[in-house]
Amino acid sequence: MGQGKSNASNGSSAGVMVGGAMMVPNKDIVDNAVMSSDHTTLVAAVKAAGLVETLKGAGPFTVFAPANSAFDKLPAGTVNTLVMPENKATLTKILTYHVVAGRLTAKDLKNGQTLTTVQGETLTVVKKGNSLMLRDAKGGMSTVTIPNVISSNGVTHVIDTVLMPAK
């Protein structure tokens, strides 16, 4: 699963390297994410959607955080269009579809489990061998590349594909 190994795979308090920076449990989800060079697109989108204060809140939250490479898989121009002020509602729907209430580590996620997102629709957990994946409402699949990035207000799992709600 790449550089995300360390003691984090069991949800311990050790930090995890993500995007060239150490993600540590005493920082909140946003403060950890802004340190990652692999999440600049996600951070910009969270700011554009006005979700910074929410994700800095008490939580706890489980965030499935698309890496920059995940946003790069979207059709050309999609991200630039989504961060425009007139598309804030659509951007917010997509981003909140990546957030689940509660602190769910990889060991808490079971094959076939349905997760209700903050956006209101569901994600389905798919486990195959050592792989942890999520199926979105449109049938798209995303693989967790770095699990269990523990923050003060939740846990983040880095994913390789942007998840899309049905609506």
Side-chain angles (χ1 to χ4, degrees), residues 5-138:
K5 292 204 175 187
S6 80
N7 294 335
S9 62
N10 61 16
S12 79
S13 61
V16 181
M17 287 297 289
V18 179
M22 184 61 71
M23 305 290 112
V24 292
N26 62 348
K27 289 186 178 178
D28 65 42
I29 290 168
V30 174
D31 287 346
N32 269 326
V34 298
M35 302 298 293
S36 169
S37 62
D38 289 345
H39 290 87
T40 54
T41 304
L42 177 62
V43 169
V46 166
K47 288 177 180 175
L51 293 172
V52 171
E53 289 309 310
T54 301
L55 291 175
K56 287 179 80 61
F61 305 106
T62 298
V63 177
F64 297 101
N68 292 344
S69 57
F71 286 100
D72 292 345
K73 293 179 183 179
L74 296 173
T78 301
V79 174
N80 290 339
T81 300
L82 284 171
V83 297
M84 291 177 177
E86 60 268 29
N87 296 317
K88 183 176 178 179
T90 301
L91 177 62
T92 300
K93 278 184 197 170
I94 293 170
L95 292 176
T96 56
Y97 188 62
H98 290 76
V99 181
V100 175
R103 180 186 296 259
L104 300 170
T105 63
K107 72 176 191 285
D108 298 322
L109 300 171
K110 308 295 182 216
N111 189 45
Q113 181 179 4
T114 301
L115 306 173
T116 300
T117 68
V118 171
Q119 181 262 356
E121 293 182 42
T122 60
L123 295 168
T124 303
V125 176
V126 179
K127 282 191 164 182
K128 291 183 181 172
N130 289 331
S131 293
L132 174 60
M133 295 167 281
L134 298 159
R135 182 180 314 109
D136 67 22
K138 292 186 174 182

